[in-house]
């Protein structure tokens, strides 16, 4: 099996499922965690990822199809999405894509889902759609504070990984987000982002 990514939490392989090219994501053991807690966390994240990836399709978000879940060895077989990772795209095209990412983030929030790892490494652009992946840290939550955490992380990623196009990208992201959630809610979440930033641990991102 060809390894796609060795992550901190999971290894991702190119594999095959029922003759279809697929992605196999296996959550690894964390030795520093107490073993029964570790098992519980890996099981919970595996199940949650599979459930939420499928659930969000019902409100028009493109995500990989789930082929098979094995919560005993913490693995998921899913559709291989052929496309380009947004993080690796030409800088020039990042701002435009951020408009779409903002709309997707807004749609998720409006439907009570926070992504939990909203970064440009978790979006794949195919010839037709922008796919969202990696729902291992996603949650069902209507809490504005949780939604603000998604936005704050995305802003931080723009600032660190896409610094040259940060301003335009963030502006577009907000425009897209506002399209989905409306002016009032968008304003509220942006205020909460400022609150998070003012908590010291985080520096304000301009
Ligand atoms: N369905 C998929 N189709 C194509 N490529 C994928 C797919 N799923 C994952 N990948 C590739 O593998 C990388 C890692 O996958 P993913 O983001 O799910 O894992 P991770 O970030 O290690 O996970 P986690 O944050 O849950 O620890 C992605 O950035 C992407 O390049
Ligand atoms: Mg990821």
């Amino acid at each position: 099996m060809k390894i796609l990514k060795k992550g901190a939490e999971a290894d991702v392989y190119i594999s095959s499922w029922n003759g279809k090219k697929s992605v196999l994501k296996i959550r690894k053991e964390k030795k520093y965690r107490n073993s029964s807690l570790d098992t519980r966390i890996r099981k919970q994240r595996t199940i949650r990822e599979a459930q939420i990836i499928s659930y969000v399709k019902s409100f028009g978000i493109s995500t990989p199809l789930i082929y098979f879940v094995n919560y005993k060895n913490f693995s998921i077989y899913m559709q291989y999405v052929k496309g380009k990772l947004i993080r690796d795209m030409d800088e020039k095209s990042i701002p435009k894509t951020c408009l779409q990412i903002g709309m997707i983030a807004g749609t998720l929030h409006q439907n009570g889902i926070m992504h939990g790892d909203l970064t440009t490494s978790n979006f794949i652009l195919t010839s037709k759609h922008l796919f969202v992946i990696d729902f291992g840290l996603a949650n069902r939550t209507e809490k504005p504070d949780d939604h603000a955490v998604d936005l704050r992380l995305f802003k931080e990623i723009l600032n660190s990984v896409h610094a040259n196009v940060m301003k335009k990208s963030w502006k577009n992201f907000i425009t897209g987000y506002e399209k989905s959630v409306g002016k009032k809610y968008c304003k509220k979440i942006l205020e909460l982002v400022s609150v998070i930033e003012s908590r010291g641990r985080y520096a304000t991102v301009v």
Side-chain angles (χ1 to χ4, degrees), residues 21-157:
K21 183 173 182 179
S22 74
V23 160
L24 171 61
K25 182 168 178 177
I26 307 176
R27 290 202 149 72
K28 293 184 290 195
E29 186 184 355
K30 292 269 189 188
K31 291 269 197 276
Y32 63 80
R33 277 199 293 245
N34 163 289
S35 143
S36 64
L37 174 69
D38 183 68
T39 303
R40 201 150 49 87
I41 290 177
R42 286 194 288 162
K43 182 175 169 183
Q44 183 207 45
R45 290 191 183 161
T46 302
I47 293 174
R48 183 178 300 172
E49 173 155 39
Q51 284 177 338
I52 299 188
I53 273 190
S54 301
Y55 174 66
V56 301
K57 286 179 187 297
S58 60
F59 34 88
I61 307 279
S62 299
T63 51
L65 281 165
I66 297 297
Y67 294 146
F68 191 73
V69 183
N70 183 340
Y71 64 82
K72 294 209 170 105
N73 70 0
F74 321 103
S75 67
I76 300 176
Y77 281 90
M78 68 182 99
Q79 176 191 5
Y80 174 80
V81 179
K82 187 166 173 273
K84 193 132 177 94
L85 211 59
I86 304 310
R87 191 205 47 216
D88 301 335
M89 274 182 12
D90 199 359
E91 239 178 18
K92 291 199 302 283
S93 44
I94 299 281
K96 192 176 153 219
T97 314
C98 282
L99 185 80
Q100 246 180 305
I101 295 181
M103 279 168 68
I104 291 173
T107 306
L108 288 172
H109 291 176
Q110 243 191 343
N111 288 281
I113 299 290
M114 95 177 262
H115 182 275
D117 195 18
L118 203 68
T119 72
T120 49
S121 302
N122 288 330
F123 287 85
I124 302 174
L125 187 64
T126 71
S127 56
K128 290 205 181 91
H129 299 284
L130 185 58
F131 276 74
V132 196
I133 59 167
D134 202 358
F135 283 79
L137 296 175
N139 244 318
R140 290 173 200 260
T141 168
E142 308 266 356
K143 278 196 214 145
D145 284 304
D146 290 336
H147 297 170
V149 168
D150 263 353
L151 264 68
R152 167 61 216 184
L153 176 63
F154 193 75
K155 192 178 176 191
E156 193 170 306
I157 293 299

Side-chain angles (χ1 to χ4, degrees), residues 149-190:
V149 168
D150 263 353
L151 264 68
R152 167 61 216 184
L153 176 63
F154 193 75
K155 192 178 176 191
E156 193 170 306
I157 293 299
L158 287 180
N159 203 45
S160 55
V161 186
H162 309 284
N164 292 330
V165 289
M166 194 281 167
K167 268 205 158 141
K168 218 168 158 196
S169 301
W170 179 243
K171 190 169 161 272
N172 284 355
F173 175 92
I174 295 306
T175 304
Y177 187 77
E178 192 187 276
K179 268 193 187 161
S180 295
V181 302
K183 252 202 163 73
K184 200 172 151 210
Y185 193 74
C186 182
K187 188 166 171 269
K188 178 175 179 165
I189 298 301
L190 285 176

